[in-house]
Short mmCIF file of all heavy atoms in Angstrom, two decimals:
data_model
loop_
_atom_site.label_atom_id
_atom_site.label_comp_id
_atom_site.label_asym_id
_atom_site.label_seq_id
_atom_site.Cartn_x
_atom_site.Cartn_y
_atom_site.Cartn_z
N PHE A 102 43.49 -42.83 68.44
CA PHE A 102 43.71 -42.69 69.87
C PHE A 102 45.10 -42.12 70.15
O PHE A 102 45.26 -41.24 71.00
CB PHE A 102 43.53 -44.04 70.58
CG PHE A 102 43.54 -43.94 72.08
CD1 PHE A 102 42.40 -43.53 72.76
CD2 PHE A 102 44.67 -44.26 72.80
CE1 PHE A 102 42.40 -43.43 74.15
CE2 PHE A 102 44.69 -44.16 74.18
CZ PHE A 102 43.55 -43.76 74.86
N GLN A 103 46.10 -42.61 69.42
CA GLN A 103 47.47 -42.09 69.59
C GLN A 103 47.53 -40.60 69.23
O GLN A 103 48.18 -39.81 69.92
CB GLN A 103 48.46 -42.89 68.74
CG GLN A 103 48.57 -44.35 69.12
CD GLN A 103 48.93 -44.56 70.58
OE1 GLN A 103 49.87 -43.95 71.07
NE2 GLN A 103 48.18 -45.38 71.28
N GLU A 104 46.87 -40.22 68.17
CA GLU A 104 46.84 -38.82 67.75
C GLU A 104 46.12 -37.95 68.79
O GLU A 104 46.57 -36.85 69.10
CB GLU A 104 46.15 -38.67 66.39
CG GLU A 104 47.05 -38.89 65.21
CD GLU A 104 48.09 -37.78 65.10
OE1 GLU A 104 47.78 -36.69 64.60
OE2 GLU A 104 49.23 -38.01 65.54
N ILE A 105 45.03 -38.45 69.32
CA ILE A 105 44.29 -37.70 70.34
C ILE A 105 45.17 -37.50 71.57
O ILE A 105 45.25 -36.40 72.11
CB ILE A 105 42.96 -38.40 70.68
CG1 ILE A 105 42.00 -38.26 69.51
CG2 ILE A 105 42.37 -37.85 71.98
CD1 ILE A 105 40.79 -39.18 69.57
N MET A 106 45.84 -38.55 72.00
CA MET A 106 46.73 -38.42 73.16
C MET A 106 47.86 -37.44 72.88
O MET A 106 48.28 -36.69 73.75
CB MET A 106 47.28 -39.79 73.57
CG MET A 106 46.24 -40.71 74.19
SD MET A 106 45.56 -40.02 75.72
CE MET A 106 43.83 -40.40 75.52
N ARG A 107 48.33 -37.40 71.64
CA ARG A 107 49.40 -36.48 71.26
C ARG A 107 48.96 -35.03 71.39
O ARG A 107 49.69 -34.18 71.89
CB ARG A 107 49.85 -36.76 69.81
CG ARG A 107 50.96 -35.84 69.32
CD ARG A 107 51.27 -36.04 67.84
NE ARG A 107 50.19 -35.68 66.96
CZ ARG A 107 49.85 -34.42 66.64
NH1 ARG A 107 50.51 -33.39 67.15
NH2 ARG A 107 48.84 -34.19 65.81
N VAL A 108 47.74 -34.71 70.95
CA VAL A 108 47.29 -33.31 70.97
C VAL A 108 46.72 -32.89 72.32
O VAL A 108 46.47 -31.70 72.53
CB VAL A 108 46.29 -32.98 69.83
CG1 VAL A 108 46.94 -33.23 68.48
CG2 VAL A 108 44.97 -33.72 69.99
N LEU A 109 46.52 -33.85 73.23
CA LEU A 109 46.05 -33.49 74.57
C LEU A 109 47.18 -32.92 75.41
O LEU A 109 48.32 -33.39 75.33
CB LEU A 109 45.49 -34.72 75.30
CG LEU A 109 44.05 -35.10 75.03
CD1 LEU A 109 43.72 -36.42 75.72
CD2 LEU A 109 43.09 -34.01 75.48
N LYS A 110 46.85 -31.92 76.21
CA LYS A 110 47.80 -31.39 77.19
C LYS A 110 48.09 -32.47 78.23
O LYS A 110 47.33 -33.43 78.36
CB LYS A 110 47.23 -30.14 77.85
CG LYS A 110 47.12 -28.97 76.90
CD LYS A 110 46.55 -27.75 77.60
CE LYS A 110 46.43 -26.57 76.63
NZ LYS A 110 45.81 -25.41 77.27
N PRO A 111 49.17 -32.35 79.00
CA PRO A 111 49.50 -33.37 80.00
C PRO A 111 48.37 -33.66 80.99
O PRO A 111 48.27 -34.77 81.49
CB PRO A 111 50.72 -32.79 80.72
CG PRO A 111 51.36 -31.92 79.68
CD PRO A 111 50.21 -31.34 78.89
N THR A 112 47.53 -32.69 81.24
CA THR A 112 46.39 -32.91 82.14
C THR A 112 45.09 -33.11 81.35
O THR A 112 44.00 -32.97 81.88
CB THR A 112 46.21 -31.71 83.09
OG1 THR A 112 46.06 -30.52 82.29
CG2 THR A 112 47.39 -31.57 84.02
N GLY A 113 45.21 -33.48 80.07
CA GLY A 113 44.06 -33.57 79.18
C GLY A 113 43.17 -34.77 79.39
O GLY A 113 43.56 -35.79 79.96
N THR A 114 41.95 -34.62 78.90
CA THR A 114 40.91 -35.63 79.02
C THR A 114 40.26 -35.86 77.66
O THR A 114 40.06 -34.92 76.90
CB THR A 114 39.82 -35.15 80.01
OG1 THR A 114 40.42 -34.86 81.26
CG2 THR A 114 38.75 -36.19 80.20
N MET A 115 39.92 -37.12 77.39
CA MET A 115 39.14 -37.44 76.20
C MET A 115 37.80 -38.00 76.64
O MET A 115 37.74 -38.89 77.49
CB MET A 115 39.84 -38.50 75.34
CG MET A 115 39.00 -38.89 74.11
SD MET A 115 39.73 -40.16 73.05
CE MET A 115 39.25 -41.65 73.88
N ILE A 116 36.74 -37.47 76.06
CA ILE A 116 35.40 -38.04 76.25
C ILE A 116 35.08 -38.82 74.98
O ILE A 116 35.17 -38.29 73.87
CB ILE A 116 34.35 -36.94 76.49
CG1 ILE A 116 34.65 -36.21 77.79
CG2 ILE A 116 32.95 -37.54 76.51
CD1 ILE A 116 33.73 -35.05 78.08
N PHE A 117 34.72 -40.08 75.16
CA PHE A 117 34.49 -40.99 74.05
C PHE A 117 33.05 -41.49 74.07
O PHE A 117 32.55 -41.90 75.10
CB PHE A 117 35.46 -42.18 74.16
CG PHE A 117 35.25 -43.24 73.12
CD1 PHE A 117 35.54 -42.99 71.79
CD2 PHE A 117 34.79 -44.50 73.47
CE1 PHE A 117 35.36 -43.97 70.82
CE2 PHE A 117 34.60 -45.49 72.52
CZ PHE A 117 34.89 -45.22 71.20
N LYS A 118 32.39 -41.42 72.92
CA LYS A 118 31.00 -41.89 72.79
C LYS A 118 30.98 -43.04 71.80
O LYS A 118 31.59 -42.96 70.73
CB LYS A 118 30.11 -40.75 72.30
CG LYS A 118 28.66 -41.15 72.10
CD LYS A 118 27.86 -39.93 71.64
CE LYS A 118 26.50 -40.31 71.13
NZ LYS A 118 26.52 -40.73 69.73
N TRP A 119 30.27 -44.13 72.17
CA TRP A 119 30.24 -45.31 71.32
C TRP A 119 28.91 -46.03 71.45
O TRP A 119 28.40 -46.20 72.56
CB TRP A 119 31.36 -46.28 71.71
CG TRP A 119 31.48 -47.45 70.80
CD1 TRP A 119 31.12 -48.73 71.05
CD2 TRP A 119 31.99 -47.43 69.47
NE1 TRP A 119 31.38 -49.53 69.96
CE2 TRP A 119 31.92 -48.74 68.97
CE3 TRP A 119 32.50 -46.42 68.65
CZ2 TRP A 119 32.34 -49.08 67.69
CZ3 TRP A 119 32.92 -46.76 67.37
CH2 TRP A 119 32.84 -48.08 66.91
N ASN A 120 28.38 -46.50 70.32
CA ASN A 120 27.18 -47.32 70.32
C ASN A 120 27.59 -48.75 70.01
O ASN A 120 28.23 -49.00 68.99
CB ASN A 120 26.18 -46.80 69.29
CG ASN A 120 24.90 -47.61 69.30
OD1 ASN A 120 24.89 -48.77 68.92
ND2 ASN A 120 23.84 -47.00 69.76
N GLU A 121 27.21 -49.68 70.87
CA GLU A 121 27.64 -51.08 70.77
C GLU A 121 26.79 -51.92 69.84
O GLU A 121 26.92 -53.14 69.84
CB GLU A 121 27.60 -51.73 72.15
CG GLU A 121 28.68 -51.33 73.05
CD GLU A 121 28.81 -52.28 74.22
OE1 GLU A 121 27.83 -52.42 74.98
OE2 GLU A 121 29.88 -52.88 74.37
N ASP A 122 25.95 -51.34 69.03
CA ASP A 122 25.05 -52.11 68.20
C ASP A 122 25.78 -53.12 67.31
O ASP A 122 25.32 -54.23 67.14
CB ASP A 122 24.20 -51.17 67.34
CG ASP A 122 23.12 -51.90 66.58
OD1 ASP A 122 22.32 -52.61 67.23
OD2 ASP A 122 23.07 -51.79 65.34
N GLN A 123 26.94 -52.73 66.76
CA GLN A 123 27.64 -53.62 65.83
C GLN A 123 29.03 -54.06 66.30
O GLN A 123 29.51 -55.10 65.86
CB GLN A 123 27.72 -52.95 64.45
CG GLN A 123 26.33 -52.75 63.86
CD GLN A 123 26.35 -52.13 62.47
OE1 GLN A 123 27.39 -51.99 61.83
NE2 GLN A 123 25.18 -51.77 61.99
#
Side-chain angles (χ1 to χ4, degrees):
F102 188 80
Q103 297 304 310
E104 275 292 280
I105 289 166
M106 289 298 138
R107 180 186 65 76
V108 300
L109 276 174
K110 292 180 181 177
T112 56
T114 303
M115 178 181 83
I116 296 177
F117 176 68
K118 179 179 167 276
W119 186 254
N120 182 291
E121 286 196 300
D122 188 55
Q123 296 182 9

